[in-house]
Amino acid sequence: MAAGLFITFEGGEGAGKSTQVRLLAERLRAHGTDVVITREPGGTPFAEQVRALILSPSVAEHTALSEALLFYAARADHIGKIIRPAMAAGRAVLCDRFSDSTRVYQSIAGGLDRKVFDALEQLVVADAKPELTIILDLDPSVGLARAEARRIDAASGEGNGERNVDSDGAGRDRYERQALAFHEKLRAGFLAIAAEEPDRCVVINANRDASQVAAEVWSVVDQHLQRRAG
Ligand code: TYD
């Protein structure tokens, strides 16, 4: 995809992706860049409806394939209506999760055949791939504890009100309810993708203050922009 800038943020639960997306957007805007913040699953009215279905723990269990197809149905709409038009207009798109999450959650940890993942990716994403992916890396026990704290804040009215999906009695969505071993697999999965695609992916230690993480994110993005310009 020519023009624009497409950056994705990936990582396990509670890694601080949405905060970092917001801080990077502020920084890019201060440099005069026109930024679009979006997320997956979601980003369009249809994809947000699919998100509610996917994440609800009260929806009946279904297969890794049916799950992946839902993510790609949402993604097809998101790419067509938001990502491609923004890129064509020369804007910077910052997306909280994208295809690497499907590869990790549904394929590496969820058992979906890699060939099926590759085929869906080719069919739906094709050349709409991110040029830079920031992987926020964190011990899952720390991430899950952060996600828990965020839920308590949200329940007491101090949260940012972003969570709009159905949840279990403890306020957890379908994935947050999984055992620690599942979350360990996710972490290893993201690190494996980073090792496989070092030109696209940068791993950042997320076990620090948000401002320290943001400074490193900015340095990575700044270097990337300089390489691109040169
Ligand atoms: P979200 O509340 O955005 O989680 P987080 O705050 O951790 O980013 O919920 C998105 C959930 O959906 C998250 O648990 C990861 C999962 N997911 C997949 O399993 N596959 C995917 O392709 C995507 C985009 C997300």
Side-chain angles (χ1 to χ4, degrees), residues 14 34 50 58 70 89 96 135 159 214:
D34 187 4
V50 177
S58 59
L70 287 176
D96 184 344
I135 295 174

Side-chain angles (χ1 to χ4, degrees), residues 34 43 55 60 63 96 156 161 201 207 216:
D34 187 4
L55 296 183
T63 66
D96 184 344
S156 67
C201 302
N207 196 11
E216 192 172 340

